[in-house]
Amino acid sequence: MQPSGEAHIGNYLGALRRWVEMQRTYECVFCIVDDHAVTAGGDPKELPAHVVDLAVSFLAVGLDPERSIIFVQSDVAEHTELAWLFNSVTPVGELERMTQFKDKARRFESVPAGILNYPVLQAADILLYRADAVPVGEDQRQHLELTREIARKWNATYGAYFPEPEALVGNEGRILGLDGEAKMSKSLGNTVPITAPPDDVWARVRTAVTDPQRVRRDDPGRPEVCNVHTLHKYFSAPAVVDDVAHRCRGALRGCVECKRILADSISATFAPMRERASELRAHPERVRGVLEDGAARAREVARETMKVVRERMGLDWRAAAR
Ligand code: AMP
């Protein structure tokens, strides 16, 4: 996951919640991808704090450093090294065909190569650990297909080594932001951070867009088109969900009150995680310990992989001088 600050409820519902569960059945590697983040051209002064914020969110939701490897991408230089080597088996045409590339490229007058090569680094992130499976959102399926192709091409050229990882596509789809229109995303400012204090949660949720046809309080509302109602389904108890829908349809309750209940449900859901997060923020050395230990474990696997990759690709001149 890219370090763009604290995780939000879209990240939680679409990714983190599943990742916590996956730790029961898989050996997991969770990477905070700061090398990817630099392609977005953010402020370098803010990046370190964003990395730590995301690590705090990871640990607060229950990613467990005893069971999983949790680390920062730039601590393991093998990611960028492998990405470079994968460039030699990756067709430019495939990269140009990626939907995300086309979307992002539109925003630049002169497109940086990092935007084009982004999925090659992703392939390296995955294959460096010879991963069998990757949990992805629907929007990442295409990139994972490319990872599989890179693995196939590399294997065909240098001998079978990399698995073709399977996409574990979640069924959550996209969680809409508080604007009720676009995907919830930090860059759009339409999020609720998962570790926000209740006052902040309320300050954000009260701005949420509801059924646009419900102009006055005594207009009947349509929960089925209201994003606040969708969010209730994720965070409120089933009886509350039914009750808010009933009162909305009958114009028995105003939207502000309905949002108040949602804000309370969100705050209650994340209360234990908020507590863990504030404890971690008070002890940054614990977060550092987790990330440093994670990087050491990741490096061990990465070095094994790179040893084979270098040998197979002829990057071991010492073999000829023995
Ligand atoms: P991002 O921060 O956009 O790179 O997203 C990190 C992870 O969170 C990815 O697995 C996304 O699929 C997931 N994610 C981010 N935003 C949303 C959203 N609005 N709805 C569902 N999943 C999301």
Side-chain angles (χ1 to χ4, degrees):
M1 193 178 282
Q2 275 209 35
S4 44
E6 278 176 291
H8 54 72
I9 60 178
N11 297 135
Y12 180 74
L13 296 171
L16 293 173
R17 192 171 61 160
R18 273 175 82 211
W19 298 0
V20 172
E21 282 304 307
M22 285 180 70
Q23 296 181 114
R24 293 169 189 269
T25 38
Y26 291 87
E27 273 182 82
C28 299
V29 182
F30 299 113
C31 181
I32 297 176
V33 293
D34 55 348
D35 286 322
H36 280 287
V38 297
T39 61
D43 184 347
K45 288 195 204 73
E46 287 176 4
L47 189 51
H50 283 173
V51 169
V52 174
D53 283 343
L54 186 58
V56 167
S57 297
F58 275 12
L59 298 173
V61 299
L63 297 190
D64 178 359
E66 300 285 319
R67 280 198 276 190
S68 305
I69 299 181
I70 303 171
F71 73 106
V72 180
Q73 189 182 28
S74 65
D75 272 346
V76 183
E78 284 82 354
H79 285 248
T80 43
E81 182 184 3
L82 185 58
W84 172 255
L85 299 175
F86 279 164
N87 275 323
S88 64
V89 291
T90 309
V92 172
E94 288 293 314
L95 296 173
E96 285 171 337
R97 204 171 64 73
M98 295 291 119
T99 312
Q100 280 203 358
F101 167 69
K102 289 191 225 160
D103 281 351
K104 286 190 196 163
R106 266 193 276 271
R107 296 178 219 155
F108 293 89
E109 221 168 276
S110 160
V111 183
I115 300 284
L116 180 69
N117 289 329
Y118 194 103
V120 185
L121 182 54
Q122 279 186 317
D125 298 336
I126 296 164
L127 295 173
L128 193 51
Y129 303 94
R130 287 158 274 142
D132 298 303
V134 190
V136 290
E138 190 58 52
D139 56 343
Q140 287 296 326
R141 205 193 257 280
Q142 199 183 26
H143 286 182
L144 196 70
E145 202 38 64
L146 183 64
T147 293
R148 292 163 59 90
E149 187 179 338
I150 290 172
R152 270 197 303 276
K153 287 216 156 95
W154 194 94
N155 289 346
T157 314
Y158 301 105
Y161 181 58
F162 291 113
E164 282 183 42
E166 177 197 351
L168 305 175
V169 180
N171 51 11
E172 225 45 89
R174 291 184 329 157
I175 308 299
L176 295 184
L178 296 174
D179 52 8
E181 280 183 13
K183 173 178 156 174
M184 184 173 285
S185 164
K186 179 105 195 243
S187 60
L188 300 175
N190 61 4
T191 68
V192 182
I194 56 180
T195 58
D199 285 353
D200 287 0
V201 172
W202 170 232
R204 305 252 183 158
V205 171
R206 77 185 294 175
T207 69
V209 174
T210 52
D211 175 2
Q213 277 184 25
R214 193 175 184 202
V215 181
R216 287 186 312 255
R217 194 190 181 291
D218 44 6
D219 290 336
R222 298 171 300 165
E224 58 284 359
V225 301
C226 178
N227 189 42
V228 168
H229 190 255
T230 304
L231 293 172
H232 266 297
K233 286 197 257 182
Y234 287 116
F235 296 109
S236 297
V240 175
V241 176
D242 290 347
D243 182 60
V244 293
H246 169 71
R247 287 174 194 258
C248 173
R249 285 199 188 94
L252 302 170
R253 178 185 278 144
C255 291
V256 175
E257 208 188 323
C258 181
K259 290 195 249 186
R260 180 85 236 187
I261 298 168
L262 173 62
D264 290 346
S265 299
I266 294 175
S267 293
T269 304
F270 293 108
M273 305 176 202
R274 198 163 55 240
E275 211 169 288
R276 276 204 291 275
S278 71
E279 214 180 294
L280 288 164
R281 284 196 200 99
H283 296 281
E285 74 285 356
R286 288 190 202 158
V287 181
R288 202 174 63 219
V290 166
L291 295 177
E292 280 175 354
D293 175 61
R297 287 159 65 198
R299 248 180 248 124
E300 247 177 67
V301 185
R303 282 183 184 153
E304 257 176 53
T305 304
M306 289 314 297
K307 188 166 181 292
V308 175
V309 169
R310 288 197 199 109
E311 276 169 17
R312 300 261 188 104
M313 295 184 81
L315 300 169
D316 61 343
W317 62 266
R318 281 177 189 81
R322 274 192 199 114

